[in-house]
Amino acid sequence: MKRIGILTSGGDCQGLNSTIRAVAKTLYQNYGNDGVQIIGIIDGYRGLIYNETRMMKPDDFSGILTRGGTILGTSRQPFKLMRVIDENSVDKVAEMKKNYKKLELDCLVVLGGNGTQKTANLLREEGLNVVSLPKTIDNDLWGTDKTFGFQSAVDIATNVIDCIHTTATSHGRVFIVEVMGHKVGWLTLYAGIAGGADVILIPEIPYDINSVINTIKKRTESGKKFSILAVAEGAISKELAAMPKKKRKAAMAEIAYPSISYKIAKEIQDATGQETRVTVPGHFQRGGSPDAYDRVLSTRFGIAAAELIINGDYGKMVALVNNKVVAVPLEEIAGKLKAVPADHEIVAAARKMGICFGDEK
Ligand code: F6P
């Protein structure tokens, strides 16, 4: 009897349950319902550290294709703290190894983003059999063209921008839609283009507020009464970007706004006199059902992960490269951030139709 542990770690997103389902169904198909015991590890790596688990049955994986969130629960266990012995003297890595053995696992399947992949690689280095899957709305995982969750979040953020368009045009206002994405701008770039934003600000292209203001003024001069900005939560001005890291952190902490979007909004309103509003869809972008694209992608990923287990091909993350599902060694991808190249083909295309990225002269 094979014993496979499975956990979801880090921020949730759409497609976690559809991925779990695909892994499980493929394993049951291959080994038979009595040939494999799937062990659900509760709340991510936390469950492995404290041995909180749930023996899963085939029925647990039915009816979850469309369900948002994760049936296993999740938590953030920062990688930088993994080797730190905490106040309760818990050696997290040692405990995870001990529980892996206690549970008599043949393999641990982890679904997660950047931090999760780093810990997966650490466990691989410690001798555990690990297979991982790329999850995040940020699409910032190295080694894969797409992560599951990304497209569903793009759809939601696009819908927000669509809705904002109608109220912005009615009132002749400037609107900022602040889009998630942590330190990268993939979500903002895609949603901004899909939603017809006039300005797209992403962390990879530091902005000059004057460039943004000029764009809005020009729109007003040409008779356009409203403007829509898609601003990544991690967007950064040129001045801040030019500062050394420590100074920048301090300067950013000093910005007395809930987020960068409110600072930008004030600067625009002061310079143009136009009413400016901010909308922050926040965690809404991570909620609800996966869209059709993510259901298909996560199913493909889940099947591929199960096949790695069946073949005993461990230490890998499944990935999408040129629309093919492949497996990449964890050591090659762990800890590498996939940011938007400033000269990315989609950025270049958007510039051709006049979308402002805030770095125009
Ligand atoms: O990584 C996914 C993400 O939603 C980011 O886009 C965002 O910066 C972060 O998680 C928010 O984290 P939390 O859910 O811990 O507030």
Side-chain angles (χ1 to χ4, degrees):
M1 156 89 83
K2 286 274 171 193
R3 291 176 66 81
I4 309 299
I6 186 161
L7 63 81
T8 54
S9 171
D12 71 340
C13 74
Q14 304 90 338
L16 284 164
N17 291 327
S18 47
T19 308
I20 294 170
R21 169 182 174 269
V23 174
K25 285 193 185 254
T26 310
L27 290 176
Y28 288 132
Q29 280 289 324
N30 184 75
Y31 295 115
N33 287 2
D34 298 326
V36 58
Q37 173 64 62
I38 298 176
I39 295 134
I41 295 164
I42 309 302
D43 293 347
Y45 288 117
R46 197 187 170 282
L48 192 58
I49 298 167
Y50 297 101
N51 200 18
E52 286 165 16
T53 59
R54 183 176 138 204
M55 292 300 143
M56 309 294 282
K57 295 184 292 308
D59 266 2
D60 293 321
F61 302 102
S62 287
I64 60 168
L65 171 67
T66 59
R67 200 189 297 175
T70 160
I71 57 166
L72 298 174
T74 188
S75 65
R76 289 197 188 277
Q77 299 291 325
F79 177 74
K80 60 177 183 227
L81 299 181
M82 275 297 167
R83 293 265 186 212
V84 176
I85 310 293
D86 68 17
E87 66 277 10
N88 302 318
S89 309
V90 175
D91 180 337
K92 301 184 196 75
V93 178
E95 288 302 305
M96 286 195 280
K97 284 171 70 179
K98 200 171 84 191
N99 289 324
Y100 179 96
K101 282 221 174 86
K102 208 191 234 171
L103 292 164
E104 297 179 66
L105 297 184
D106 292 293
C107 179
L108 173 69
V109 180
V110 304
L111 283 64
N114 264 313
T116 304
Q117 303 301 337
K118 280 200 262 181
T119 301
N121 189 43
L122 185 154
L123 294 177
R124 178 196 66 80
E125 286 166 355
E126 293 286 333
L128 308 194
N129 295 333
V130 184
V131 163
S132 74
L133 297 110
K135 162 239 74 166
T136 171
I137 64 165
D138 302 338
N139 198 36
D140 60 350
L141 281 187
W142 193 262
T144 187
D145 295 343
K146 287 274 155 65
T147 55
F148 66 82
F150 172 65
Q151 189 58 49
S152 303
V154 169
D155 290 353
I156 294 175
T158 302
N159 190 25
V160 172
I161 300 174
D162 287 350
C163 292
I164 288 300
H165 250 107
T166 63
T167 177
T169 49
S170 305
H171 286 264
R173 284 171 169 163
V174 176
F175 259 95
I176 292 177
V177 177
E178 184 179 292
V179 183
M180 272 191 170
H182 198 42
K183 291 182 182 157
V184 303
W186 293 109
L187 191 51
T188 310
L189 179 63
Y190 275 72
I193 291 175
D198 309 299
V199 178
I200 296 176
L201 303 183
I202 59 175
E204 295 86 343
I205 306 176
Y207 67 86
D208 176 350
I209 195 64
N210 296 314
S211 165
V212 176
I213 290 165
N214 284 343
T215 300
I216 293 166
K217 281 186 174 163
K218 274 193 203 142
R219 279 180 58 79
T220 312
E221 281 159 25
S222 72
K224 299 262 168 55
K225 292 196 179 124
F226 74 98
S227 293
I228 307 277
L229 288 76
V231 174
E233 61 180 352
I236 184 164
S237 68
K238 277 191 172 163
E239 301 84 68
L240 283 172
M243 289 178 188
K245 210 172 165 191
K246 244 185 165 176
K247 212 174 151 200
R248 180 168 72 226
K249 269 194 161 176
M252 285 177 86
E254 257 179 42
I255 296 173
Y257 296 95
S259 72
I260 196 78
S261 302
Y262 292 88
K263 179 172 164 21
I264 297 171
K266 179 161 185 346
E267 286 167 337
I268 292 172
Q269 188 159 308
D270 288 350
T272 64
Q274 239 184 306
E275 271 191 323
T276 305
R277 297 283 191 269
V278 176
T279 294
V280 185
H283 291 78
F284 197 71
Q285 293 162 97
R286 272 173 26 190
S289 297
D291 69 0
Y293 178 90
D294 273 335
R295 289 180 204 182
V296 175
L297 180 65
S298 59
T299 300
R300 291 172 75 195
F301 278 162
I303 295 163
E307 281 171 345
L308 289 176
I309 297 168
I310 293 161
N311 296 329
D313 193 1
Y314 305 123
K316 295 193 172 154
M317 179 185 84
V318 297
L320 189 75
V321 177
N322 297 328
N323 210 23
K324 291 223 157 37
V325 177
V326 298
V328 290
L330 272 168
E331 70 212 89
E332 281 178 20
I333 57 101
K336 292 190 198 159
L337 193 77
K338 186 187 71 186
V340 179
D343 60 353
H344 192 279
E345 166 253 312
I346 299 180
V347 174
R351 286 189 196 279
K352 284 186 189 155
M353 43 182 265
I355 295 177
C356 162
F357 283 85
D359 61 344
E360 295 76 7
K361 295 274 171 264

